[in-house]
Amino acid sequence: MAQRVAVIDIGSNSVRMVVYEKTSRFAFRILHEEKSRVRISENAYQNDGILQEKAMQRTLYALENFLTIISSFKARKTLCVATSALRDAPNKKEFLHKARHNLGLKIKIIDGQRESYLGAIACANLLPQQDRALSIDIGGGSTEFSIISKNDIANNISLNLGTVRLKELFFDNNEISGAKELIDLQLKQLDNIDISTIIGIGGTFRAISLALMNNNKYPMKKLHAYESYYSEFSKFLTKILKSDENGLKKLGIKSARFDTIKPGALILDRVLNKFKVDNLITSGVGLREGVYLADLLRNSKDKFPINYNTSVRQILDSHVDDSAYSNQLSKLSKQLFDITHKKLGIDIKYRYELAIAAKLCISGSSMHFYSQNRHSYFLIQDALEFGFTHKQITLISTLAKYAKKRFPSSLHVEKYKELLPSKDELNGLSYLLSLSIALLSHKPRNIDFMFELSDKNLTVTSKNSLFLAKESVKKLNSLKNFNIIFSS
Amino acid sequence: MAQRVAVIDIGSNSVRMVVYEKTSRFAFRILHEEKSRVRISENAYQNDGILQEKAMQRTLYALENFLTIISSFKARKTLCVATSALRDAPNKKEFLHKARHNLGLKIKIIDGQRESYLGAIACANLLPQQDRALSIDIGGGSTEFSIISKNDIANNISLNLGTVRLKELFFDNNEISGAKELIDLQLKQLDNIDISTIIGIGGTFRAISLALMNNNKYPMKKLHAYESYYSEFSKFLTKILKSDENGLKKLGIKSARFDTIKPGALILDRVLNKFKVDNLITSGVGLREGVYLADLLRNSKDKFPINYNTSVRQILDSHVDDSAYSNQLSKLSKQLFDITHKKLGIDIKYRYELAIAAKLCISGSSMHFYSQNRHSYFLIQDALEFGFTHKQITLISTLAKYAKKRFPSSLHVEKYKELLPSKDELNGLSYLLSLSIALLSHKPRNIDFMFELSDKNLTVTSKNSLFLAKESVKKLNSLKNFNIIFSS
C-alpha cells in the first residue's frame, strides 16, 4: 500500500481535511478532500476569544466525520494543526481535551510564524519560481506574510487580522474606518520590505481571483498560478468594498462568502496600496500543503531536488507505464529541436515544454488507447499543476492534444491565444513532437536511425526498414520549406 | 506484470496489430494498436491469387516492425492469423516460410468459417445483446456472415466477396453489373435466414457509419454500437455508388478508401436489399477482438459470465481504488431508487444505469481529485464501450458528470436529447446519485443510517451525527415535492 497521510487544518472559518498519497519519493496526489464551514470562532472575538459551546460541538462533529473518512483511506498518519482561533482561545484546553479524549485526535496548535512558514513552503515548492515575492495568507483570525526568494523563505510574520475577526469587531457594527486604521497600524510591521510580486493564499484571494478570471473571460479554469496585475485587481477590490449583496453576486462572489469577503478585500486593498507591486499570483495551495510538504521533504530541507518537478513525476507514476518509451520520445524531440529550431524560427525557451509534452503525451492512453490525445490533454491541463505557469501548461497540453495529428485547430488557438506562442512556433513545436512519434512508430529498443539537417531537408538514415516510420511521416502535416527524406 | 497478449491480423487490405492487457480474470484494455495498409493482395486477384513480390515484402517489413513493438510491451504471446488473401494464395508457403524463418513469426491461416465465428464472438460478447442478428464482415478478399442470437453463434459462412477482390476483378474495368451478379449469386447461400438486425463489422461498414453519423449530426463520437436504420443507410449507399471522388469526399469518405468503398458499398447494398431488416448496428470490434476473446474465454465456452460486463470491470480495475466505497454507493443508490422511483416518476428500467453510474462516478479521481467529474465523464464516454447502448453510455456518463453538482445543464441536455431520458427522469436520477454521495459524505464502514419514505418526505434516521451528510444534503439542488428530513 502506498504511503497515505492525512492533514487536517482547523481554521477560524472552516475545518479542512486532505488525504495525500505518495506516488514515489517526492511525488504525491490528492485522494480526498473535505471541508466544513463550522466557523469555530463564531462569536469568539466579541467574547475575548473564548470559543463558544455550539461552535466547538459543530467542529467536533465535523472532525469525527473526518476521522471516519481518513480511516476509510487507511492513512498511515494524521497531521492535525490548528491556527489563530485556537491560539487565541482561553478555553483551548477544553477543546483539545475533547478532541483527544472523545475522538483520539491530537491537535497541534502552531504559532503564527510557523503558520506563515508552512504556507510559504507550499508556495515556494508548488508555484513557478519567483525572485522576490511576498506571500499573504488571509485567514479568519490572522493573516500571515512571508518573503519567498527562489526556494528560500524569510520574514515569517503573523498579524491578528482576519476576515471573521474584523467582521465581528468592526464590520458587524459598520465601523469600516476603524478596521482600516487597525490594518494600517499592523501593516507597519512590513515596512522596509522590497518585493516584486505578491502571492495570494487562502479563500479570500481565491474567491476574488475567480471572480476576476470570469470577468476577464480568462480561457483556463485554474486558479493556482493565475497571474493578475495591480491595476485590475485593485479596481476589483474597490468594487467589492462598495457593493451590497446584490452587487457582490453580480461580481461573481458566492453567497457563502458574502459576510467575510469585505473584511478580506479591505486587508488586501491596504496591502496592495502599501506595496503597489505590479504582479499578483494566486496560490491554490497553502497551509495544508505546507504541513504535508514539511513531512514529505523533512530530510531535504523542505525542498524538492533541483530540476525536479513533482507534477510531472506524479503523472508519470500514475499514468505512464512505458517509461522507456516516454524518455526516448522526450530525448528524440530535444535532439530534433536542437538541430531545427533556428531553421523553424522557434524560440529556444520552448525546448523544455516540448520535452515535457513528449514525456507526457502518452499519459492519456491509461484512460483509453484510441482517445488518448484528448485524455492526455485534459489530464495535463488538470494534473500538471505545480511549478508551471499557465502559459507552460497550455502549451504542453496543446502539444499533447495534437500529437501525431493535424496542427492545432484555429478554434483552439483562438481560445487560448493569450497563453500560446505564435502560430508558426506552435505549429513548429507540434510538428517536432509528431515527427518524433512518427519516427519511433516501430518502438525500437534504442534509436536505430540518424538524422542530419541541410538546407530544407532533414535526412534520416538507418540500416533498418523504418517501414512504419516512413508510412507515419507521410501522413504528417507538412511544414513549409522543410522536408523529411529517408535514405538507406 | 499483468498478462499481455498481442494479436496480428493479416488481411487482404491491411495488417493490424493490437496489444491487450488483462486487468483481471475477464477484463482487458488495449495498450497499443498499429495498422499498415500494405495491401498484401495487390494485383493478386488478376494473377490467380498469387501474392506479388513487392506486396509480400511490404507486409514482411510491417510485420517486422510490429514484432519490435510487441516486444517493447513484453507481451507474453503473439497470436497471428491470416485470412482470405493467404488462404487463396498458391504461393502462401513461401510467405509463411519467410515470416517464420526471417522474423520468427508463426502465422495461422484460418478458414472462412473460423474467421466468421471469431468476428461473431467479438460481436456477441462486446455489443449490447441482440435477439436474432446477422453479422457481416466485409474484408478485402472475403465476406463473412454469422447468425448471433443472444450469446449463441450459428451459420458461419464465408463468401469470396471482398472489396479488393471486386475492385480488381470488376470495378477496375468498370464492370459493375458483373460484380452485382456475382454478389447476388453468392448471397443465395443466405436464403431462408430469418433475422431482425444486421451487425456490420469491418472498415467499409465503419467508414459508411461514420459518414452517416456526421451527416446526421449525431452527438456522440463513437462508432461501436451505433444504431442506424435501413432507409437512411440504404439511401446513403446509393449516394456512394453514384458518386465520383469529389462526391465521396463531400459524403465524408476518406481518400484512402476511395478505391475500395464502392465495391464494399455494393456488397452491403445487395445484402440490405435481400434482408430489408430495419435495424443496423455498427461494430467497432471484429476478427482481432475475436481472436483475443477466444484466448481469454477459452475455459468458459467463449462467453463472459452471466450478468458480467467487461468494460465496467476494466474501469474499476484500472481507476477505482476504493472498491468498498464504490459498491456501497451503488447499493445505496439502488435502495433509494427502489423506494422513490414511483414517487419521482422514473421508469424502473433506469435502475441499472443508476447503479453503474454510482459504481463508476469516482473513477475520474484517479486523474485529478478536484476535477474528477469531468474526468469520470470522459472516461465513461470512451471506456464504457462494450455491452452498452449509446443511450446507456450517455445516461451513465451524464450522471457521473453531474454527480454531487447541480442538475444536468440545459446545454448538455439539448446536445444529447435524442439519447437521454425525459428531463424529469434525468433530474430525478441525478438527484438520487447526488443524494447517495451526500449521505455517505463521512464514508462510514457500513451504512449507519436508515431511511423511510412517507408522502413528500424521505426521513433519515441515525444514531450518529451525520454532520457532513447534513451539510452536503443542504447544498443539493432540491426536487419539487421531495424533502429530506434528518431525525435523530
Side-chain angles (χ1 to χ4, degrees), chain A residues 4 33 36-37 65 69 73 319 321 367-371 374-375 378 381-382 385 441 443 468 471, chain B residues 4 33 36-37 65 69 73 321 366-371 374-375 378 381-382 385 441 443 468 471:
Chain A
R4 295 173 172 187
E33 197 255 13
S36 179
R37 196 180 280 273
N65 281 185
I69 299 174
F73 283 102
H319 301 284
D321 185 74
M367 271 62 87
H368 194 254
F369 178 79
Y370 292 104
S371 39
R374 81 164 178 157
H375 289 284
F378 291 130
Q381 269 196 335
D382 288 335
E385 51 195 346
S441 289
K443 300 194 85 193
L468 294 179
E471 208 180 9
Chain B
R4 294 174 173 187
E33 196 256 11
S36 179
R37 196 179 278 273
N65 280 185
I69 298 174
F73 283 102
D321 185 74
S366 73
M367 271 61 87
H368 194 254
F369 178 79
Y370 292 104
S371 38
R374 81 163 178 158
H375 289 284
F378 291 129
Q381 269 196 335
D382 288 335
E385 51 195 346
S441 289
K443 300 194 85 193
L468 294 179
E471 208 180 9

Short mmCIF file of all heavy atoms in Angstrom, two decimals, chain A residues 4 33 36-37 65 69 73 319 321 367-371 374-375 378 381-382 385 441 443 468 471, chain B residues 4 33 36-37 65 69 73 321 366-371 374-375 378 381-382 385 441 443 468 471:
data_model
loop_
_atom_site.label_atom_id
_atom_site.label_comp_id
_atom_site.label_asym_id
_atom_site.label_seq_id
_atom_site.Cartn_x
_atom_site.Cartn_y
_atom_site.Cartn_z
N ARG A 4 0.05 6.86 2.70
CA ARG A 4 -1.00 7.86 2.71
C ARG A 4 -0.95 8.66 4.00
O ARG A 4 -0.82 8.08 5.08
CB ARG A 4 -2.37 7.19 2.58
CG ARG A 4 -2.52 6.51 1.23
CD ARG A 4 -3.79 5.71 1.15
NE ARG A 4 -3.98 5.23 -0.22
CZ ARG A 4 -5.07 4.60 -0.63
NH1 ARG A 4 -6.07 4.39 0.20
NH2 ARG A 4 -5.16 4.20 -1.87
N GLU A 33 -10.56 15.21 -0.39
CA GLU A 33 -10.55 16.50 0.29
C GLU A 33 -11.94 16.72 0.85
O GLU A 33 -12.93 16.31 0.23
CB GLU A 33 -10.20 17.60 -0.71
CG GLU A 33 -9.77 18.91 -0.08
CD GLU A 33 -10.83 19.98 -0.14
OE1 GLU A 33 -12.00 19.67 -0.46
OE2 GLU A 33 -10.49 21.14 0.14
N SER A 36 -15.56 21.71 5.89
CA SER A 36 -16.82 22.05 6.54
C SER A 36 -16.69 23.44 7.14
O SER A 36 -15.73 23.74 7.85
CB SER A 36 -17.15 21.01 7.62
OG SER A 36 -18.35 21.36 8.26
N ARG A 37 -17.65 24.27 6.84
CA ARG A 37 -17.59 25.65 7.31
C ARG A 37 -18.18 25.71 8.73
O ARG A 37 -19.27 26.25 8.93
CB ARG A 37 -18.37 26.53 6.35
CG ARG A 37 -18.11 28.01 6.48
CD ARG A 37 -18.95 28.77 5.46
NE ARG A 37 -18.35 28.74 4.14
CZ ARG A 37 -17.44 29.62 3.73
NH1 ARG A 37 -17.04 30.58 4.52
NH2 ARG A 37 -16.94 29.54 2.52
N ASN A 65 -16.32 13.02 11.75
CA ASN A 65 -16.57 12.52 10.40
C ASN A 65 -15.29 12.46 9.57
O ASN A 65 -15.07 11.52 8.80
CB ASN A 65 -17.62 13.40 9.69
CG ASN A 65 -19.05 13.08 10.10
OD1 ASN A 65 -20.00 13.62 9.56
ND2 ASN A 65 -19.23 12.19 11.08
N ILE A 69 -13.54 9.20 7.49
CA ILE A 69 -13.08 9.25 6.10
C ILE A 69 -11.61 8.84 6.02
O ILE A 69 -11.22 8.01 5.20
CB ILE A 69 -13.25 10.67 5.52
CG1 ILE A 69 -14.73 11.07 5.53
CG2 ILE A 69 -12.67 10.75 4.12
CD1 ILE A 69 -14.98 12.51 5.12
N PHE A 73 -9.60 5.50 4.09
CA PHE A 73 -8.48 5.52 3.15
C PHE A 73 -7.23 4.85 3.74
O PHE A 73 -6.19 4.81 3.09
CB PHE A 73 -8.14 6.96 2.74
CG PHE A 73 -9.10 7.51 1.73
CD1 PHE A 73 -10.09 8.39 2.10
CD2 PHE A 73 -9.01 7.12 0.40
CE1 PHE A 73 -10.98 8.89 1.17
CE2 PHE A 73 -9.90 7.62 -0.54
CZ PHE A 73 -10.89 8.50 -0.15
N HIS A 319 0.30 7.31 -14.58
CA HIS A 319 -0.34 7.10 -15.88
C HIS A 319 0.58 6.65 -17.00
O HIS A 319 0.11 6.40 -18.10
CB HIS A 319 -1.08 8.37 -16.32
CG HIS A 319 -2.13 8.80 -15.35
ND1 HIS A 319 -3.33 8.17 -15.25
CD2 HIS A 319 -2.14 9.77 -14.41
CE1 HIS A 319 -4.06 8.74 -14.30
NE2 HIS A 319 -3.36 9.71 -13.77
N ASP A 321 3.06 3.84 -18.09
CA ASP A 321 3.62 2.54 -17.77
C ASP A 321 4.96 2.35 -18.48
O ASP A 321 5.91 1.82 -17.93
CB ASP A 321 2.62 1.48 -18.26
CG ASP A 321 3.03 0.10 -17.87
OD1 ASP A 321 2.91 -0.22 -16.68
OD2 ASP A 321 3.51 -0.64 -18.75
N MET A 367 -6.30 5.90 -19.91
CA MET A 367 -7.76 6.00 -19.89
C MET A 367 -8.37 5.23 -21.06
O MET A 367 -9.25 4.43 -20.88
CB MET A 367 -8.20 7.47 -19.96
CG MET A 367 -8.33 8.15 -18.62
SD MET A 367 -6.77 8.21 -17.70
CE MET A 367 -6.07 9.72 -18.35
N HIS A 368 -7.87 5.51 -22.26
CA HIS A 368 -8.43 4.86 -23.44
C HIS A 368 -7.45 5.02 -24.59
O HIS A 368 -7.08 6.13 -24.94
CB HIS A 368 -9.77 5.52 -23.81
CG HIS A 368 -10.57 4.73 -24.79
ND1 HIS A 368 -10.70 5.10 -26.11
CD2 HIS A 368 -11.27 3.59 -24.65
CE1 HIS A 368 -11.47 4.21 -26.73
NE2 HIS A 368 -11.83 3.29 -25.87
N PHE A 369 -7.03 3.91 -25.16
CA PHE A 369 -5.99 3.99 -26.18
C PHE A 369 -6.37 4.89 -27.35
O PHE A 369 -5.62 5.77 -27.75
CB PHE A 369 -5.62 2.59 -26.69
CG PHE A 369 -4.56 2.65 -27.77
CD1 PHE A 369 -3.23 2.84 -27.43
CD2 PHE A 369 -4.90 2.60 -29.11
CE1 PHE A 369 -2.26 2.95 -28.41
CE2 PHE A 369 -3.94 2.71 -30.10
CZ PHE A 369 -2.61 2.88 -29.74
N TYR A 370 -7.57 4.66 -27.89
CA TYR A 370 -7.92 5.37 -29.12
C TYR A 370 -8.17 6.85 -28.91
O TYR A 370 -7.99 7.64 -29.82
CB TYR A 370 -9.13 4.72 -29.80
CG TYR A 370 -8.82 3.35 -30.33
CD1 TYR A 370 -9.26 2.21 -29.68
CD2 TYR A 370 -8.05 3.20 -31.48
CE1 TYR A 370 -8.96 0.95 -30.16
CE2 TYR A 370 -7.74 1.94 -31.97
CZ TYR A 370 -8.20 0.82 -31.30
OH TYR A 370 -7.89 -0.43 -31.78
N SER A 371 -8.62 7.22 -27.72
CA SER A 371 -8.85 8.66 -27.50
C SER A 371 -7.80 9.21 -26.54
O SER A 371 -8.08 10.09 -25.74
CB SER A 371 -10.27 8.90 -26.99
OG SER A 371 -10.67 7.90 -26.09
N ARG A 374 -7.14 13.20 -26.30
CA ARG A 374 -7.98 14.10 -25.51
C ARG A 374 -7.81 13.85 -24.02
O ARG A 374 -7.86 14.78 -23.22
CB ARG A 374 -9.44 14.05 -25.97
CG ARG A 374 -10.31 12.92 -25.47
CD ARG A 374 -11.79 13.32 -25.72
NE ARG A 374 -12.73 12.29 -25.33
CZ ARG A 374 -14.00 12.56 -25.03
NH1 ARG A 374 -14.45 13.80 -25.08
NH2 ARG A 374 -14.83 11.60 -24.69
N HIS A 375 -7.56 12.59 -23.65
CA HIS A 375 -7.35 12.33 -22.23
C HIS A 375 -6.02 12.90 -21.74
O HIS A 375 -5.94 13.43 -20.64
CB HIS A 375 -7.45 10.83 -21.95
CG HIS A 375 -8.84 10.30 -22.06
ND1 HIS A 375 -9.79 10.50 -21.09
CD2 HIS A 375 -9.47 9.62 -23.05
CE1 HIS A 375 -10.93 9.95 -21.47
NE2 HIS A 375 -10.77 9.41 -22.66
N PHE A 378 -6.64 16.69 -21.24
CA PHE A 378 -7.36 17.06 -20.02
C PHE A 378 -6.54 16.72 -18.77
O PHE A 378 -6.53 17.47 -17.80
CB PHE A 378 -8.71 16.36 -19.95
CG PHE A 378 -9.69 16.86 -20.98
CD1 PHE A 378 -10.37 15.97 -21.80
CD2 PHE A 378 -9.93 18.21 -21.14
CE1 PHE A 378 -11.27 16.43 -22.76
CE2 PHE A 378 -10.82 18.68 -22.09
CZ PHE A 378 -11.50 17.79 -22.90
N GLN A 381 -3.84 19.36 -18.45
CA GLN A 381 -4.47 20.62 -18.02
C GLN A 381 -4.72 20.64 -16.51
O GLN A 381 -4.52 21.64 -15.85
CB GLN A 381 -5.81 20.79 -18.73
CG GLN A 381 -5.76 21.53 -20.04
CD GLN A 381 -7.14 21.99 -20.48
OE1 GLN A 381 -8.15 21.40 -20.10
NE2 GLN A 381 -7.19 23.03 -21.27
N ASP A 382 -5.20 19.50 -15.99
CA ASP A 382 -5.59 19.49 -14.58
C ASP A 382 -4.46 19.07 -13.64
O ASP A 382 -4.31 19.65 -12.57
CB ASP A 382 -6.77 18.52 -14.38
CG ASP A 382 -8.06 19.09 -14.97
OD1 ASP A 382 -8.16 20.32 -15.07
OD2 ASP A 382 -8.95 18.30 -15.32
N GLU A 385 -0.01 20.69 -12.38
CA GLU A 385 -0.44 21.93 -11.73
C GLU A 385 0.65 22.64 -10.96
O GLU A 385 0.56 23.84 -10.74
CB GLU A 385 -1.63 21.65 -10.81
CG GLU A 385 -1.42 20.50 -9.85
CD GLU A 385 -2.75 20.05 -9.23
OE1 GLU A 385 -3.75 20.75 -9.34
OE2 GLU A 385 -2.76 18.96 -8.62
N SER A 441 7.69 5.00 -34.55
CA SER A 441 6.50 4.16 -34.74
C SER A 441 6.76 2.70 -34.42
O SER A 441 5.88 2.00 -33.93
CB SER A 441 6.01 4.24 -36.19
OG SER A 441 5.43 5.50 -36.43
N LYS A 443 8.84 1.59 -32.28
CA LYS A 443 9.28 1.44 -30.89
C LYS A 443 10.56 0.62 -30.73
O LYS A 443 10.58 -0.39 -30.01
CB LYS A 443 8.14 0.85 -30.04
CG LYS A 443 6.90 1.74 -30.05
CD LYS A 443 5.92 1.35 -28.97
CE LYS A 443 6.26 2.01 -27.67
NZ LYS A 443 5.53 1.44 -26.53
N LEU A 468 7.16 1.42 -40.84
CA LEU A 468 6.04 2.14 -40.22
C LEU A 468 6.37 3.62 -40.05
O LEU A 468 5.50 4.48 -40.19
CB LEU A 468 5.69 1.53 -38.86
CG LEU A 468 5.13 0.10 -38.86
CD1 LEU A 468 4.87 -0.36 -37.43
CD2 LEU A 468 3.85 0.02 -39.68
N GLU A 471 5.75 5.36 -43.28
CA GLU A 471 4.30 5.47 -43.51
C GLU A 471 3.71 6.58 -42.63
O GLU A 471 2.88 7.38 -43.08
CB GLU A 471 3.66 4.12 -43.16
CG GLU A 471 2.39 3.81 -43.91
CD GLU A 471 1.81 2.44 -43.52
OE1 GLU A 471 2.31 1.82 -42.55
OE2 GLU A 471 0.86 1.99 -44.18
N ARG B 4 -0.11 -9.89 -20.95
CA ARG B 4 -0.28 -9.14 -22.19
C ARG B 4 -0.22 -10.09 -23.38
O ARG B 4 0.65 -10.96 -23.44
CB ARG B 4 0.82 -8.10 -22.32
CG ARG B 4 0.71 -7.03 -21.25
CD ARG B 4 1.87 -6.08 -21.27
NE ARG B 4 1.64 -4.99 -20.33
CZ ARG B 4 2.42 -3.93 -20.22
NH1 ARG B 4 3.48 -3.80 -20.99
NH2 ARG B 4 2.14 -2.98 -19.34
N GLU B 33 -2.20 -0.16 -30.59
CA GLU B 33 -2.78 -0.64 -31.84
C GLU B 33 -1.95 -0.06 -32.96
O GLU B 33 -1.48 1.07 -32.86
CB GLU B 33 -4.24 -0.18 -31.93
CG GLU B 33 -5.06 -0.92 -32.96
CD GLU B 33 -5.31 -0.11 -34.22
OE1 GLU B 33 -4.68 0.94 -34.40
OE2 GLU B 33 -6.15 -0.55 -35.02
N SER B 36 -1.15 -1.04 -40.82
CA SER B 36 -0.43 -0.61 -42.01
C SER B 36 -1.17 -1.12 -43.23
O SER B 36 -1.52 -2.30 -43.32
CB SER B 36 1.01 -1.14 -41.98
OG SER B 36 1.68 -0.74 -43.15
N ARG B 37 -1.43 -0.21 -44.15
CA ARG B 37 -2.20 -0.60 -45.33
C ARG B 37 -1.25 -1.17 -46.39
O ARG B 37 -0.99 -0.56 -47.42
CB ARG B 37 -2.91 0.65 -45.86
CG ARG B 37 -4.04 0.39 -46.83
CD ARG B 37 -4.66 1.71 -47.26
NE ARG B 37 -5.60 2.20 -46.28
CZ ARG B 37 -6.89 1.85 -46.26
NH1 ARG B 37 -7.37 1.01 -47.14
NH2 ARG B 37 -7.69 2.35 -45.35
N ASN B 65 8.29 -4.69 -38.00
CA ASN B 65 8.10 -3.55 -37.09
C ASN B 65 7.07 -3.88 -36.00
O ASN B 65 7.24 -3.49 -34.84
CB ASN B 65 7.65 -2.31 -37.87
CG ASN B 65 8.81 -1.59 -38.57
OD1 ASN B 65 8.64 -0.54 -39.14
ND2 ASN B 65 10.01 -2.16 -38.51
N ILE B 69 7.47 -3.66 -31.77
CA ILE B 69 6.51 -3.00 -30.87
C ILE B 69 6.03 -3.99 -29.81
O ILE B 69 6.01 -3.68 -28.62
CB ILE B 69 5.30 -2.47 -31.67
CG1 ILE B 69 5.77 -1.42 -32.69
CG2 ILE B 69 4.26 -1.88 -30.73
CD1 ILE B 69 4.68 -0.94 -33.64
N PHE B 73 6.42 -4.06 -25.49
CA PHE B 73 5.37 -4.19 -24.46
C PHE B 73 5.51 -5.49 -23.66
O PHE B 73 4.69 -5.76 -22.79
CB PHE B 73 3.98 -4.13 -25.11
CG PHE B 73 3.56 -2.74 -25.47
CD1 PHE B 73 3.63 -2.28 -26.78
CD2 PHE B 73 3.13 -1.86 -24.49
CE1 PHE B 73 3.26 -0.99 -27.11
CE2 PHE B 73 2.75 -0.57 -24.81
CZ PHE B 73 2.83 -0.13 -26.12
N ASP B 321 -9.82 2.68 -6.87
CA ASP B 321 -9.02 2.05 -5.84
C ASP B 321 -9.92 1.60 -4.68
O ASP B 321 -9.74 0.55 -4.11
CB ASP B 321 -8.02 3.10 -5.34
CG ASP B 321 -7.05 2.52 -4.35
OD1 ASP B 321 -6.17 1.78 -4.78
OD2 ASP B 321 -7.22 2.79 -3.15
N SER B 366 -8.89 9.25 -10.23
CA SER B 366 -7.54 8.74 -10.47
C SER B 366 -6.76 9.70 -11.38
O SER B 366 -5.55 9.63 -11.46
CB SER B 366 -7.57 7.33 -11.06
OG SER B 366 -7.99 7.35 -12.40
N MET B 367 -7.47 10.58 -12.08
CA MET B 367 -6.80 11.60 -12.88
C MET B 367 -6.53 12.85 -12.05
O MET B 367 -5.43 13.35 -12.01
CB MET B 367 -7.65 11.98 -14.10
CG MET B 367 -7.40 11.13 -15.32
SD MET B 367 -7.78 9.38 -15.05
CE MET B 367 -9.53 9.36 -15.44
N HIS B 368 -7.58 13.36 -11.39
CA HIS B 368 -7.42 14.59 -10.63
C HIS B 368 -8.60 14.70 -9.67
O HIS B 368 -9.75 14.70 -10.10
CB HIS B 368 -7.39 15.80 -11.57
CG HIS B 368 -6.92 17.06 -10.91
ND1 HIS B 368 -7.76 18.08 -10.58
CD2 HIS B 368 -5.68 17.45 -10.52
CE1 HIS B 368 -7.07 19.06 -10.02
NE2 HIS B 368 -5.80 18.71 -9.97
N PHE B 369 -8.31 14.81 -8.39
CA PHE B 369 -9.39 14.79 -7.41
C PHE B 369 -10.41 15.90 -7.66
O PHE B 369 -11.61 15.66 -7.71
CB PHE B 369 -8.84 14.88 -5.98
CG PHE B 369 -9.95 14.90 -4.97
CD1 PHE B 369 -10.58 13.73 -4.60
CD2 PHE B 369 -10.41 16.09 -4.42
CE1 PHE B 369 -11.64 13.73 -3.70
CE2 PHE B 369 -11.46 16.11 -3.52
CZ PHE B 369 -12.08 14.92 -3.16
N TYR B 370 -9.92 17.13 -7.82
CA TYR B 370 -10.86 18.25 -7.87
C TYR B 370 -11.67 18.29 -9.15
O TYR B 370 -12.78 18.81 -9.17
CB TYR B 370 -10.13 19.58 -7.68
CG TYR B 370 -9.58 19.73 -6.28
CD1 TYR B 370 -8.23 19.57 -6.02
CD2 TYR B 370 -10.43 20.00 -5.22
CE1 TYR B 370 -7.73 19.69 -4.74
CE2 TYR B 370 -9.95 20.12 -3.93
CZ TYR B 370 -8.59 19.97 -3.70
OH TYR B 370 -8.11 20.08 -2.43
N SER B 371 -11.12 17.76 -10.24
CA SER B 371 -11.91 17.77 -11.48
C SER B 371 -12.35 16.36 -11.83
O SER B 371 -12.43 16.00 -12.99
CB SER B 371 -11.12 18.42 -12.61
OG SER B 371 -9.75 18.07 -12.55
N ARG B 374 -15.39 15.75 -14.44
CA ARG B 374 -15.20 15.80 -15.89
C ARG B 374 -14.37 14.63 -16.38
O ARG B 374 -14.61 14.11 -17.47
CB ARG B 374 -14.66 17.15 -16.36
CG ARG B 374 -13.18 17.40 -16.23
CD ARG B 374 -12.83 18.61 -17.13
NE ARG B 374 -11.44 18.99 -17.08
CZ ARG B 374 -10.84 19.68 -18.05
NH1 ARG B 374 -11.50 20.05 -19.12
NH2 ARG B 374 -9.58 20.02 -17.95
N HIS B 375 -13.43 14.17 -15.56
CA HIS B 375 -12.64 13.01 -15.98
C HIS B 375 -13.48 11.73 -15.97
O HIS B 375 -13.34 10.90 -16.86
CB HIS B 375 -11.39 12.87 -15.11
CG HIS B 375 -10.37 13.93 -15.37
ND1 HIS B 375 -9.56 13.91 -16.48
CD2 HIS B 375 -10.07 15.07 -14.71
CE1 HIS B 375 -8.78 14.99 -16.47
NE2 HIS B 375 -9.07 15.71 -15.40
N PHE B 378 -15.59 11.84 -19.21
CA PHE B 378 -14.88 11.48 -20.44
C PHE B 378 -14.44 10.01 -20.42
O PHE B 378 -14.48 9.33 -21.44
CB PHE B 378 -13.67 12.39 -20.65
CG PHE B 378 -14.04 13.81 -20.97
CD1 PHE B 378 -13.49 14.87 -20.28
CD2 PHE B 378 -14.96 14.09 -21.98
CE1 PHE B 378 -13.83 16.18 -20.57
CE2 PHE B 378 -15.31 15.40 -22.29
CZ PHE B 378 -14.75 16.44 -21.58
N GLN B 381 -17.50 7.89 -21.11
CA GLN B 381 -17.86 8.04 -22.53
C GLN B 381 -16.99 7.16 -23.42
O GLN B 381 -17.47 6.55 -24.37
CB GLN B 381 -17.65 9.50 -22.96
CG GLN B 381 -18.86 10.38 -22.80
CD GLN B 381 -18.70 11.68 -23.59
OE1 GLN B 381 -17.60 12.12 -23.87
NE2 GLN B 381 -19.82 12.28 -23.96
N ASP B 382 -15.70 7.12 -23.12
CA ASP B 382 -14.78 6.40 -24.01
C ASP B 382 -14.59 4.93 -23.63
O ASP B 382 -14.54 4.07 -24.49
CB ASP B 382 -13.41 7.09 -24.02
CG ASP B 382 -13.45 8.41 -24.76
OD1 ASP B 382 -14.32 8.58 -25.63
OD2 ASP B 382 -12.61 9.28 -24.47
N GLU B 385 -17.35 0.90 -23.19
CA GLU B 385 -17.68 0.75 -24.60
C GLU B 385 -18.35 -0.56 -24.96
O GLU B 385 -19.04 -0.65 -25.97
CB GLU B 385 -16.43 0.95 -25.46
CG GLU B 385 -15.24 0.12 -25.04
CD GLU B 385 -13.94 0.61 -25.68
OE1 GLU B 385 -13.99 1.40 -26.63
OE2 GLU B 385 -12.87 0.20 -25.21
N SER B 441 -21.14 11.06 2.86
CA SER B 441 -20.04 12.03 2.96
C SER B 441 -18.98 11.62 3.96
O SER B 441 -17.80 11.89 3.78
CB SER B 441 -20.58 13.40 3.38
OG SER B 441 -21.30 14.00 2.35
N LYS B 443 -18.19 8.62 4.73
CA LYS B 443 -17.61 7.33 4.34
C LYS B 443 -17.59 6.31 5.47
O LYS B 443 -16.53 5.77 5.84
CB LYS B 443 -16.21 7.53 3.77
CG LYS B 443 -16.21 8.43 2.53
CD LYS B 443 -14.91 8.36 1.77
CE LYS B 443 -14.89 7.20 0.81
NZ LYS B 443 -13.57 6.92 0.28
N LEU B 468 -21.47 15.86 8.30
CA LEU B 468 -21.11 16.22 6.92
C LEU B 468 -22.24 15.88 5.95
O LEU B 468 -22.48 16.60 4.98
CB LEU B 468 -19.83 15.50 6.49
CG LEU B 468 -18.54 15.89 7.22
CD1 LEU B 468 -17.37 15.06 6.69
CD2 LEU B 468 -18.24 17.38 7.06
N GLU B 471 -24.77 18.62 6.03
CA GLU B 471 -24.23 19.79 5.35
C GLU B 471 -24.28 19.60 3.83
O GLU B 471 -24.64 20.51 3.08
CB GLU B 471 -22.78 19.99 5.82
CG GLU B 471 -22.29 21.42 5.77
CD GLU B 471 -20.84 21.54 6.26
OE1 GLU B 471 -20.17 20.51 6.47
OE2 GLU B 471 -20.38 22.69 6.43
#
